Amino acid sequence: MLCPVQARSSILERSRALNTNRAEAFSDGVFAIAATLLVLELKVPHVEPGGLADALLQRWPSYATYVVSFLTIGIIWVNHHAVMDRINYVNRPLLFLNLVFLMAVAAIPFPTALLADYLQAGHDERLASAVYGVTMSLMGIAFGLIWAYAVLSDDLLHDKIDPDRARRSLLIFTVGSPLYVLAIGVSLLSAELALVIYALLAFFYLFDVLPPLEVREGKHG
Amino acid sequence: MLCPVQARSSILERSRALNTNRAEAFSDGVFAIAATLLVLELKVPHVEPGGLADALLQRWPSYATYVVSFLTIGIIWVNHHAVMDRINYVNRPLLFLNLVFLMAVAAIPFPTALLADYLQAGHDERLASAVYGVTMSLMGIAFGLIWAYAVLSDDLLHDKIDPDRARRSLLIFTVGSPLYVLAIGVSLLSAELALVIYALLAFFYLFDVLPPLEVREGKHG
Amino acid sequence: MLCPVQARSSILERSRALNTNRAEAFSDGVFAIAATLLVLELKVPHVEPGGLADALLQRWPSYATYVVSFLTIGIIWVNHHAVMDRINYVNRPLLFLNLVFLMAVAAIPFPTALLADYLQAGHDERLASAVYGVTMSLMGIAFGLIWAYAVLSDDLLHDKIDPDRARRSLLIFTVGSPLYVLAIGVSLLSAELALVIYALLAFFYLFDVLPPLEVREGKHG
Amino acid sequence: MLCPVQARSSILERSRALNTNRAEAFSDGVFAIAATLLVLELKVPHVEPGGLADALLQRWPSYATYVVSFLTIGIIWVNHHAVMDRINYVNRPLLFLNLVFLMAVAAIPFPTALLADYLQAGHDERLASAVYGVTMSLMGIAFGLIWAYAVLSDDLLHDKIDPDRARRSLLIFTVGSPLYVLAIGVSLLSAELALVIYALLAFFYLFDVLPPLEVREGKHG
């Protein structure tokens, strides 16, 4: 529809490609909105004259969790596109897995607010940190399932991806999920230590662990 | 505008195609925002030290309705694209029908919050469930009208769709609306039973009931 | 960037076309978000057991203004695309006019909430209605300026548009602004009568008053 | 993926181009949402009969900061696209810089609300103005780093850009950041004077200071 030259390819391919683009457009919307809604947790304090500086400083956990959650959602977005670039088309089961994944991403502002409020309150912060870990674990598991489903299918994986390298990438791509689950347990001992794990996991996902798109012999390129 | 090759097609086709893309872009935005705004209903409880676990457990209806409404909006989105893929272009009546449809979709966070709050309060939950059903019925009726208008028109239906199969799909595509209306009545007897119907309808719409895009003889492909 | 074939056209055209697409993408985002944020004005009432029906009925102005504002924003969106389809490219002055226009569109949820709340309160509703009218007038004036700027420029208007018909369309396209200004005055007499004018203006803008894209002799098509 | 003709270019180029488009789509979403969320700061006052006019007039800082922040975000958006148009592709470091930049943009509604509330309260407005300046400084520094990273890299800068002109543009493009930092200092003397600087900086960025895309000899065009 965007480009009539596509009419040369089969109808099926065209329909499939469109599906992929739209799954990405909807996902991009959810990512952008979830990240931007985080600002609503930054509440304006209402204080007596001269009290604003103290009130703002006291709310440092709000700013810290804003930064961590915004960058985390941003990094997940980068990796989501890296996965989508390596998939030929999106079928109904994959769309549904993607919805479950986005449901966890869209929920991130809630545990973020919970963690900020209870770090500031100075009590129940370990439970709040565990709830954050549960949300991130669900996100990580759904994300791992998306990549595993694509790699293990017959035709979803992009032609330019070496299937063997794709299968080997599964281990490192999905290693985040058990670590997030581990962080839930750590949360119950120390919210601060769990926060360090969350930050390290976000840092780890800065790096691209997926196989590259490459020109292979005897194939389309 | 995206692709000069399109200049080969008639101006009219180009203008029409653009209309379709933009109706989808706007619709995608509304879907993504409505789904992501659901998280605002997940409110951070403010409790005495040690009271967070109880407070969070007590709010299970918020999490349950978040999941049901997010997945429902996601599934409607999948089906909306399935319909749009089968339409040649969007004229003003169809744009207006689409607006009415999106108005119902964008309203979903309200009955979702209403239902969550009154399930938790333990009273008036049947009326809240009926309001949820009314919103979903309006959405279903507007969605059915969009497909019916396209199928019964002279030139809106995509060339690759068999008109007979399209007409036969009308019955099963629009069967959801009377069932949502039925769920309004059931709500007045039992909110829980109505919830089961809402969940089953979401599950039913996971399946694609529309006719496929197919290459037919003697036509463009 | 989307389509290498574009490299055939001059760099300048490409850069201009991209600008147009992006102005539309940003505008679509603002429209979709402004429309969807209207739902946040639909507040869940918290009542004693058995009191929900009355509480919901009492809030009819919220539902009425949700419907009017959602459809109004939707119709403005349809007309915004009709204007953008008739413009070759977007230069900095036009981008700035578009920003001022979007600033008024994005503000619509505020006068909508104001009007709903004071219609329900049963006092100061005439002032609230006037504030609604001021917002819509600003939107209408900025929208009229966008079309006037494009029509009266040397090269912004699309090649396929008859410049004479475009100039004649200015009168009917901008007639809405003085009527919105009139509605501000009417608001001070009767909020209800002003509401009728707002609804009639939304209905009027359902129709396309812009000149069509047509193939003219001796030009690109 | 949008256009099979691209298959003629190398896989690498295609992958890179897609990255650029998606970085822009995500950024557009964040810009549109941050701008539109500003309306949530426009709160409906609840007053005794006849008190609405006074209540609305008293809230003039909310309207003033809405206008300044909406136009500021809009102007940043225009300049962000001007930068992106001059970049070949987006690599991981640039994506990360862009995320940090967007994190500052998405935060703008918070200092905007803070400034509006404390200008209205008539105390602590100088600290609130400084917080606004800190947010804008972070935005400006991240934005300057994006352009500097692209200009000083080997292959990120668009082929149609003269590298010498690009390097010379760095000074004027990044001059805003020290001025925003200066405004933080001025805020501590006078919030009003700082506001004038913020408005002047927004006005300054209305103008395009980047080198144009031009056809140079011996290169692709």
Side-chain angles (χ1 to χ4, degrees), chain A residues 24-192:
Chain A
E24 287 176 302
F26 181 72
S27 304
D28 279 358
V30 171
F31 278 113
I33 299 156
T36 315
L37 282 183
L38 291 167
V39 76
L40 296 182
E41 170 60 11
L42 302 180
K43 298 258 168 56
V44 174
H46 292 105
V47 299
E48 295 298 298
L52 186 56
D54 278 353
L56 288 176
L57 286 177
Q58 209 183 341
R59 278 150 203 257
W60 68 265
S62 291
Y63 317 132
T65 51
Y66 174 79
V67 170
V68 170
S69 288
F70 194 98
L71 294 182
T72 301
I73 292 179
I75 292 165
I76 301 170
W77 167 77
V78 172
N79 286 298
H80 187 255
H81 275 306
V83 164
M84 284 299 180
D85 280 350
R86 286 159 177 81
I87 292 181
N88 266 333
Y89 69 98
V90 181
N91 59 16
R92 288 226 161 195
L94 205 53
L95 272 181
F96 188 70
L97 276 178
N98 195 49
L99 278 183
V100 172
F101 164 73
L102 291 176
M103 187 176 70
V105 170
I108 290 176
F110 170 62
T112 300
L114 194 76
L115 188 52
D117 283 12
Y118 282 93
L119 277 174
Q120 191 184 324
H123 65 82
D124 291 282
E125 71 274 23
R126 290 178 296 179
L127 179 56
S129 171
V131 172
Y132 190 94
V134 169
T135 311
M136 299 308 285
S137 299
L138 287 176
M139 181 278 298
I141 291 168
F143 204 6
L145 285 176
I146 289 174
W147 184 230
Y149 184 88
V151 168
L152 302 176
S153 73
D154 282 335
D155 60 344
L156 290 178
L157 200 66
H158 200 288
D159 302 330
K160 312 290 178 192
I161 301 283
D162 179 346
D164 289 335
R165 293 187 63 168
R167 264 188 291 276
R168 283 197 301 272
S169 77
L170 273 180
L171 186 68
I172 191 157
F173 187 78
T174 54
V175 81
S177 300
L179 292 177
Y180 272 123
V181 174
L182 179 73
I184 301 174
V186 171
S187 292
L188 302 179
L189 300 173
S190 158
E192 285 76 11

Side-chain angles (χ1 to χ4, degrees), chain A residues 18-19 22-23 26-27 90-100 102, chain B residues 24 27-28 31-32 70-86 101 105 139 143 173 202 204-210:
Chain A
L18 288 176
N19 272 338
R22 279 167 196 164
F26 181 72
S27 304
V90 181
N91 59 16
R92 288 226 161 195
L94 205 53
L95 272 181
F96 188 70
L97 276 178
N98 195 49
L99 278 183
V100 172
L102 291 176
Chain B
E24 287 175 302
S27 304
D28 279 359
F31 279 112
F70 194 98
L71 294 182
T72 301
I73 291 178
I75 292 165
I76 301 171
W77 167 75
V78 171
N79 286 298
H80 186 255
H81 274 307
V83 163
M84 284 299 182
D85 280 351
R86 286 159 176 82
F101 164 73
V105 170
M139 180 278 296
F143 204 6
F173 188 78
F204 168 71
Y205 280 114
L206 274 179
F207 301 96
D208 192 356
V209 300
L210 295 173

Side-chain angles (χ1 to χ4, degrees), chain C residues 85-106:
Chain C
D85 281 350
R86 286 159 176 82
I87 292 181
N88 264 332
Y89 68 96
V90 181
N91 59 17
R92 286 226 161 196
L94 205 54
L95 272 180
F96 189 69
L97 276 178
N98 196 48
L99 277 183
V100 172
F101 164 73
L102 291 176
M103 188 177 69
V105 170

